[in-house]
Amino acid sequence: MPDFVGSVDQGTTSTRFMVFDHGGNVIAAHQLEHEQILPRAGWVEHNPVEIWERTSSVIQTALGKSGLVSSDLAALGITNQRETTVVWNRRTGRPYYNAIVWQDTRTDRIASALEADGHGETIRHKAGLPPATYFSGGKIQWILDNVDGVRAAAESGEALFGNTDSWLLWHLTGGVSGGAHVTDVTNASRTMLMNLETLDWDDELLALFGIPRQMLPTIVPSSSPEPYGVTLAGGPLGGEVPLTGALGDQQAATVGQVCFAPGEAKNTYGTGNFMLINTGTDIVRSKSGLLTTVAYKLGDADAVYALEGSIAVTGSAVQWLRDQLGIISGAAQSETLARQVPDNGGVYFVPAFSGLFAPYWRSDARGAIVGLSRFNNNAHVARATLEAICYQSRDVVDAMEADSGVHLEVLKVDGGITANDLCMKIQADVLGVDVVKPVVAETTALGSAYAAGLAVGFWKNTDELRKNWLEDKRWQPSWSEEQREAGHAQWRKAVERTLDWVDVG
Ligand SMILES: Nc1ncnc2c1ncn2[C@@H]1O[C@H](COP(=O)(O)OP(=O)(O)OP(=O)(O)O)[C@@H](O)[C@H]1O
Ligand SMILES: [Mg+2]
């Protein structure tokens, strides 16, 4: 058995390739960003060809830097930004349109019409999701309705849909020369098209969006002893490696954080924040604005489900301070700037750039900075940005406790923002519980490596993976209960101010 497992992490802002050893340590890594295409307000696209090129490039560079070759890898896993929608031609390999990114709100009328026409309950019950711009179904419909020739090509089986996992798996396994057209069950659970009980595409849901079944990938387990396919000698790995693991990025982080028992939860702080709590083999339907989603399915074992609180804008608000306001020059400076003031000075920032996701699900909301007085400055805005990350997570934790009945004792965190000590300290204060971070904070890539490695026996079972989780850092709350509740009450008032801003009827 080779000594390592590889993982492709195709994220919203960048693509990484990482190689892990048996202890879950990072042996090789490379990362490249790709362009964020913003054609008009609310629209967010990526170029799928650029994403495939970046993927090839990070694989080759990481292997080259570390002197590894394909035969050093026991298996390859893949993880990806979920919901982002690619439609391409099976004969030419060319996309019909740019990838429509999960943050894109152009389908707001599609989503609100589903609700207005009384289909909301069906979608919530079958797919576990509320009708929203976030998910793939409406994005596929938009491409079918707006790009010339795609509907006919989809009906004839020539046009293929995939999230970026499918797009890359297809390329890695041969592309136009017979590449595998598959998606894992966790990605499929984010389309509004899969039935959570049957784990198959659902004809009633497909009909609501007018999507032909033949354009959809085959749904496969997240960890599969029978490989989805094998990489090609002529491809970026330069040899054959079995592809045996695939998970959406947030489900991968759940696996990377070894949340294998019901009640175990993690919160990932990246472009957005995504908290998932394992609910075991039970499909728990939320009454508090959370999503029901598949956490993972390992081989033939029953699927394990999760409740998820998705927050669209957290790290991207920090990027907005840098790129649009220009008040910081890098993400880490959000901390030094915020530390110049002892508190938020009354300022609250609700970054509802794509409307509000969990637990509100309001596509009519837009961002607001409230509570300003002459006294306030950049530092208060920076502090309010970090607090917004934490208050949005507080809203999700409250919803999770209400739905699951599980009282959170400690919050496991990962992702880029966890480098921000002040933000993590505020998170502990806002929640009133300890916040802990593992040594290997690249839990997304790690989780898909775990899925791939479990399939080939590189790791024997999930107990073996638990031993790899080691605590790196812990933040403890120091706010009083009054301070915590007063702050949260102000936050809730700020959220009210953002609602009913744009007309999506
Ligand atoms: N020290 C910091 N303080 C605050 N925010 C930070 C800090 N360092 C990074 N970030 C934010 O974290 C985000 C990047 O996190 P991470 O690398 O986990 O995301 P990602 O996995 O690349 O996102 P995606 O997968 O969506 O592309 C960026 O939005 C960045 O603004
Ligand atoms: Mg990521």
Side-chain angles (χ1 to χ4, degrees), residues 427-460:
Q427 185 67 85
D429 282 331
V430 160
L431 289 176
V433 301
D434 284 13
V435 170
V436 298
K437 173 182 171 175
V439 173
V440 180
E442 290 287 353
T443 53
T444 304
L446 181 63
S448 83
Y450 280 168
L454 280 172
V456 297
F458 183 85
W459 288 289
K460 297 281 166 288

Side-chain angles (χ1 to χ4, degrees), residues 9-16 31 34 81 102 249-250 268-272 314-319 322 331-335 386 389 414-421 423 442 444:
D9 175 2
Q10 200 303 291
T12 308
T13 54
S14 72
T15 305
R16 294 166 231 218
Q31 176 174 3
H34 56 264
Q81 51 169 325
W102 57 274
D249 53 5
Q250 300 309 324
T268 299
Y269 298 69
T271 305
T314 57
S316 53
V318 175
Q319 288 173 326
R322 184 194 64 189
Q333 223 194 323
S334 62
E335 178 166 358
L386 301 184
I389 295 170
D414 55 73
I417 303 170
T418 62
N420 190 314
D421 251 309
C423 189
E442 290 287 353
T444 304

Side-chain angles (χ1 to χ4, degrees), residues 300-365:
D300 290 338
D302 288 343
V304 169
Y305 297 87
L307 281 168
E308 171 174 323
S310 330
I311 303 167
V313 179
T314 57
S316 53
V318 175
Q319 288 173 326
W320 183 77
L321 297 184
R322 184 194 64 189
D323 301 336
Q324 264 77 14
L325 294 194
I327 64 171
I328 55 174
S329 59
Q333 223 194 323
S334 62
E335 178 166 358
T336 34
L337 183 57
R339 280 194 191 278
Q340 291 176 6
V341 287
D343 55 42
N344 67 16
V347 176
Y348 287 79
F349 173 21
V350 185
F353 299 156
S354 309
L356 285 169
F357 285 15
Y360 303 100
W361 299 105
R362 292 288 295 259
S363 51
D364 59 352

